[in-house]
Amino acid sequence: MVDELVRAARALVGGEERRDFAFVVRGGVITDAGDFNLVRERAGDLPARAFPADRLIVPGFINGHSHAYQILLRGWADDLTFAAWRSDALYAVVPKLTPDDIYWIFVAAFSEMLAAGITTVTEFFYLNGAGNAHAHAALRAAEDTGIRIVFARTWMDADYAPPQFRESIDLARERTLELRERFSWANVCVAPHSLHAASHEMIRAAAAFAREHDCMMHVHVAEAPYEGEETLAEHGATPIALLDRLDALDERTIAIHAIYITDEEKRLLAERGARVIHNPMTNQYLGDGICDVVGLQALGVTMGLGTDADVKPSLIDEMRAASLLQKVRRIDGSALGARAAFDLGTAQGARALGIAAGDLTPGNAADYLVLDAAAIDPWSPDVQSLVYRGEDRWVQAAFVGGARVYTGERSSLARQAANTLKEIANRVIP
Ligand SMILES: [Zn+2]
C-alpha cells in the first residue's frame, strides 16, 4: 500500500467541479484534501501522482445491490415474465454451479464492474444451503480482482425458496459468523432474502444479528405488487409496516427496490432511518415498475443505486436511468437532475450502505477513477456529461484503497475468467 499525494488538474468533489485539486492517501484512506497548493504544504515529502486536464478524477462508483452470477442468464433468459425467468432460467442454472464455477463467474463479473468504474460492489449472495463453500469462492474473487465488497449474506428458510438455498436460523447465523471472522477485510452483513423467502422468525433473528454484530441488514422488499397483496391478506400489513412490526426496520435496514409502497410506508422508512437501494435498469428489464425516488428523497431517505440482475453492470447507466425514469414518472424534466443522480451513485450510495467511501474527501476510502475527459464538450458541465452522455469506456483506470486495480485493459485473470465462462455456460445452460 503506497502513501501518496494525488494531484488532479480536474476533479468532481461533492458533485462540484474542482481545478488543481489534490488529496493525500495514507493507509488506503484519504486523510487530507483541497487546493493543491495548500495540501502540498501539509503533505510533507510524500511522493506525488499527477493527472493532467484531459483526465477527470471522480470517486469510484458505488454498486448497492448485485447478483453477479446472473451474468450467466444474459441473452438466453431475456424477455420472460418474472415468474418464467425465475423458474426456467435462474432455478435451472444455480443448482449446477460448483464453488469453482462461482469463483470464475464472479471474477468475470467483478472485472466488468471495475472496467465500468464500480469500485464497491454489494453482493446479495444467496447461493448457500450446503455451507459456505460458494460464499468463500465469491469472496476470493473479490479479493483477487481488488474490488471493494459488501457481502450481504442471504438467509432463506421459507417454502418459496428453492430447497438447496434453505437453512435453519441457527445454521445461517453460524455460517454468517464464520464469514465475518474469516473475511474480516470484507464488509459481511446479513440479508434475510425477502418477506416471502424468509420466515418472520428468521427476519427477526437477522435484525437481531445486525444489532448484535453492528452490521447492516439488506432485504428485498416491494419489487412487485403481489408481495404487498399477500402480506396485507395474510398479516394485515403492507411490507414496510410488516418489517416494522418484526423489529426489522431501523437505521440498519437497507430496503432493496421499495417500489410498491404507500405514502404511509415512505414516511415510516424516513422516520426509522432506513435506507433504500434503487435498481432502475433491472426494474425496467424485468418490467417491475418505478420507485418513487423523488418522493423518498424529499422525505430525507438515504438512497443508493444497484445493478441487480447485472445484464450490463454499469453505474453510469443506473445514474442515467434513475434520472430519466423520474422525469417520466413525474412528467417533469426537472424531477431528478444529473447532480442528484451522480450523488446516488457515489456519496449518498456509500452512506446508504454504511461505508466511508464515495467522495474525494478526508475519512473516505481512496477509491477513485481516472476518466477520459476528451469526449466532454468544453461548454458542458462535467457531471451533466457523465450522467447523460457518459460511457463505461471513459474509465481509464480504477483505484481501490489507493491501489490501481484496473489499468484500462482486461487483466490476465479477467481473460482467463472469460474463457472459463464459455465452458461453464456450455455445461449449465439448459
Ligand atoms: Zn436482488
Side-chain angles (χ1 to χ4, degrees), residues 65-67 70 124 126 193 220 223 256-257 279 282 308-309:
H65 187 69
S66 156
H67 308 282
Q70 291 182 9
F124 194 111
Y126 52 76
H193 180 278
H220 288 117
E223 179 176 6
I256 312 299
H257 298 302
N279 306 278
T282 298
D308 197 5

Side-chain angles (χ1 to χ4, degrees), residues 116-403:
I118 294 168
T119 50
T120 294
V121 60
T122 305
E123 179 58 28
F124 194 111
F125 190 87
Y126 52 76
L127 307 178
N128 308 303
N132 272 346
H134 287 67
H136 290 180
L139 282 155
R140 273 196 296 114
E143 190 171 19
D144 292 353
T145 55
I147 202 166
R148 186 178 302 284
I149 190 165
V150 172
F151 196 78
R153 206 284 186 184
T154 305
W155 295 12
M156 290 200 216
D157 67 346
D159 289 346
Y160 172 96
Q164 69 269 20
F165 297 160
R166 285 182 221 154
E167 294 168 309
S168 68
I169 293 170
D170 283 347
L171 266 183
R173 195 188 282 126
E174 198 178 290
R175 289 169 177 168
T176 306
L177 280 174
E178 191 264 348
L179 292 179
R180 286 175 60 83
E181 272 160 37
R182 186 189 289 245
F183 299 92
S184 55
W185 51 267
N187 186 328
V188 177
C189 48
V190 69
H193 180 278
S194 57
L195 283 160
H196 43 272
S199 66
H200 288 185
E201 296 69 39
M202 185 171 252
I203 290 172
R204 276 186 191 280
F209 183 99
R211 284 190 291 272
E212 186 184 342
H213 298 283
D214 191 20
C215 66
M216 303 299 281
M217 187 197 84
H218 299 238
V219 58
H220 288 117
V221 63
E223 179 176 6
Y226 77 87
E227 185 180 83
E229 289 160 15
E230 274 176 24
T231 60
L232 200 56
E234 289 167 26
H235 310 288
T238 47
I240 300 293
L242 184 54
L243 284 177
D244 194 44
R245 197 200 282 173
L246 297 172
D247 292 325
L249 191 71
D250 56 30
E251 67 287 348
R252 298 184 186 285
T253 307
I254 300 178
I256 312 299
H257 298 302
I259 298 172
Y260 295 95
I261 58 175
T262 63
D263 288 346
E264 187 61 32
E265 288 180 291
K266 289 172 199 168
R267 280 192 292 275
L268 196 52
L269 278 169
E271 269 168 35
R272 296 288 187 265
R275 298 98 194 271
V276 170
I277 299 293
H278 175 44
N279 306 278
M281 290 301 291
T282 298
N283 292 158
Q284 292 178 88
Y285 172 77
L286 294 175
D288 292 335
I290 309 175
C291 172
D292 181 14
V293 177
V294 170
L296 288 165
Q297 292 275 278
L299 289 164
V301 176
T302 303
M303 299 183 68
L305 300 174
T307 60
D308 197 5
D310 288 326
V311 173
K312 176 173 174 272
S314 162
L315 246 286
I316 295 177
D317 285 5
E318 300 296 342
M319 291 190 266
R320 183 177 305 145
S323 167
L324 298 184
L325 281 177
Q326 293 306 300
K327 292 170 190 261
V328 171
R329 189 181 199 275
R330 303 235 158 198
I331 323 284
D332 174 3
S334 70
L336 189 90
R339 176 85 177 262
F342 180 78
D343 183 45
L344 291 173
T346 55
Q348 190 176 163
R351 286 201 304 280
L353 296 174
I355 63 171
D359 207 355
L360 305 176
T361 48
N364 288 316
D367 298 355
Y368 62 98
L369 309 176
V370 181
L371 303 183
D372 179 5
I376 298 179
D377 299 316
W379 61 86
S380 169
D382 289 341
V383 76
Q384 249 73 14
S385 288
L386 184 61
V387 170
Y388 295 130
R389 297 188 55 243
E391 294 180 40
D392 297 335
R393 61 184 168 79
W394 290 11
V395 178
Q396 298 191 327
F399 290 74
V400 172

